[in-house]
Amino acid sequence: VKARCVAILVCPVCRQSLRAVGRALKCPQSHSFDVAREGYVNLLLSRGRRAVIPGDSVPMVRARRRFLDRGHTTRLSSALNERAHHHLRQLAQGHSPTVVADIGCGEGYYLGRLKQYLDPRLERHDVCYFGMDVSKEAARLGARRYRGICFFVASVRRGILLQNGAVQLMLNVFAPRNPAEFGRVMAPGGLLMVVIPAPGHLAELRGDLNLLGIEPNKREHVKALLESDFVLEGEREIAYQVALTGEEVVDLVTMTPSFWHLSDRAWREVRTTGPAQAGLRFVLLEFRRKTAV
Ligand SMILES: C[S@@+](CC[C@H](N)C(=O)[O-])C[C@H]1O[C@@H](n2cnc3c(N)ncnc32)[C@H](O)[C@@H]1O
Ligand SMILES: [Zn+2]
């Protein structure tokens, strides 16, 4: 990862800028973080590593990768790519570097595809890509597949570990939010794209297999949380049916929070479901970072 991108990362201990020194990232106070063989960096402090919610487990992340690789969510990904391109190409090119961050990026599917889409289209921009997730396995798989993206392990609850006002474009897809941190790291006028499940997302499977429900009024809730630093600019639903194989059903359930809650009996039912139709229903919310007053 490029040195000028590394400098946008901040130290989780003292919040000063990091820089690459050999195979580690170091701050001016000499707090040091090893870059893993695969190329990601773990910026979670040891007390955070023992946190109650470690993010997605290894089997969850692997199920997510297998499922997303089947292409059922390509339509969502393409919608994000087009919106992102539309936003970024309007930015002054003097904006250097342009920073794109995916918070709760998982194994990197949406961010990886976004980079692939933007690379030939924003040739004259200098772009730094960051993928942040609290799951080490997610960062590991992301870094292994998507070169040129800086994947780091950190919890959005504790802080995003990027410089103030650095981010021109943020993705947050089915992942936790921290409104104060979103506001802090986003540049004035920057675009935040949040994807949440719409009511009815996976409804058929949810009913048949007793999966966890979607928080009622989630959309209104998210809007209210982001209201102080952001203006809602766009809102649309992306909904379509997909035909899943039995294995895809198992992977899909494995990558949801229901993974932690299903009984042995419920798992047996998931495994014996076989091919199924499912409705994918996403809400894409676009927020503009307010310009400081
Ligand atoms: C449902 S997955 C979505 C992943 C990815 N955005 C996607 O759509 O493929 C939620 C992700 O949020 C991550 N996550 C959970 N708690 C987190 C936290 N406190 N900070 C950062 N990431 C977190 C999980 O590890 C998981 O990868
Ligand atoms: Zn430090």
Side-chain angles (χ1 to χ4, degrees), residues 111-125:
L111 183 61
R113 283 182 49 100
L114 178 62
K115 181 173 187 298
Q116 266 165 28
Y117 183 86
L118 294 178
D119 274 348
R121 290 174 175 82
L122 294 179
E123 272 175 332
R124 294 196 294 158
H125 289 237

Side-chain angles (χ1 to χ4, degrees), residues 164-226:
N164 294 350
V167 180
Q168 274 79 37
L169 179 81
M170 184 185 283
L171 292 187
N172 176 241
V173 184
F174 277 59
R177 286 157 291 277
N178 179 337
E181 278 293 281
F182 282 16
R184 181 185 64 79
V185 301
M186 291 283 306
L191 189 73
L192 163 62
M193 299 198 288
V194 177
V195 180
I196 55 174
H201 177 59
L202 302 179
E204 307 82 351
L205 291 179
R206 237 177 260 284
D208 292 348
L209 298 175
N210 247 310
L211 307 183
L212 294 184
I214 299 167
E215 174 200 337
N217 299 320
K218 190 171 179 89
R219 195 194 292 213
E220 295 315 312
H221 183 179
V222 169
K223 285 189 208 166
L225 281 174
L226 292 168

Side-chain angles (χ1 to χ4, degrees), residues 55-56 64 68 104-106 110 133-135 154-157 173-176:
D56 283 9
R64 172 170 300 278
L68 294 175
C105 61
Y110 296 102
D133 202 284
V134 77
S135 157
S155 171
V156 70
R157 294 188 211 292
V173 184
F174 277 59

Side-chain angles (χ1 to χ4, degrees), residues 37-234:
R37 190 163 37 86
E38 294 88 349
Y40 70 91
V41 60
N42 189 346
L43 297 178
L44 212 52
L45 300 174
S46 44
R47 51 197 171 87
R49 291 180 196 196
R50 287 191 301 269
V52 208
I53 302 166
D56 283 9
S57 65
V58 171
M60 289 171 85
V61 173
R62 294 190 182 164
R64 172 170 300 278
R65 162 131 315 166
R66 278 193 303 272
F67 184 82
L68 294 175
D69 278 350
R70 303 304 292 251
H72 296 302
T73 61
T74 304
R75 274 163 74 171
L76 170 61
S77 164
S78 300
L80 292 170
N81 292 350
E82 281 157 29
R83 296 304 301 148
H85 179 226
H86 181 78
H87 169 64
L88 290 178
R89 80 171 169 218
Q90 291 172 336
L91 287 184
Q93 260 164 45
H95 225 313
S96 196
T98 298
V99 176
V100 175
D102 184 348
I103 305 305
C105 61
E107 51 69 61
Y109 181 79
Y110 296 102
L111 183 61
R113 283 182 49 100
L114 178 62
K115 181 173 187 298
Q116 266 165 28
Y117 183 86
L118 294 178
D119 274 348
R121 290 174 175 82
L122 294 179
E123 272 175 332
R124 294 196 294 158
H125 289 237
D126 175 19
V127 191
C128 294
Y129 293 89
F130 293 97
M132 173 175 133
D133 202 284
V134 77
S135 157
K136 211 172 99 177
E137 180 68 1
R140 199 176 73 80
L141 290 195
R144 246 184 23 190
R145 179 179 286 180
Y146 303 107
R147 298 280 148 193
I149 295 181
C150 174
F151 285 93
F152 65 100
V153 183
S155 171
V156 70
R157 294 188 211 292
R158 282 163 193 265
I160 290 181
L161 305 181
L162 296 170
Q163 308 272 7
N164 294 350
V167 180
Q168 274 79 37
L169 179 81
M170 184 185 283
L171 292 187
N172 176 241
V173 184
F174 277 59
R177 286 157 291 277
N178 179 337
E181 278 293 281
F182 282 16
R184 181 185 64 79
V185 301
M186 291 283 306
L191 189 73
L192 163 62
M193 299 198 288
V194 177
V195 180
I196 55 174
H201 177 59
L202 302 179
E204 307 82 351
L205 291 179
R206 237 177 260 284
D208 292 348
L209 298 175
N210 247 310
L211 307 183
L212 294 184
I214 299 167
E215 174 200 337
N217 299 320
K218 190 171 179 89
R219 195 194 292 213
E220 295 315 312
H221 183 179
V222 169
K223 285 189 208 166
L225 281 174
L226 292 168
E227 186 174 69
S228 64
D229 287 339
F230 294 89
V231 179
L232 180 69
E233 269 199 355

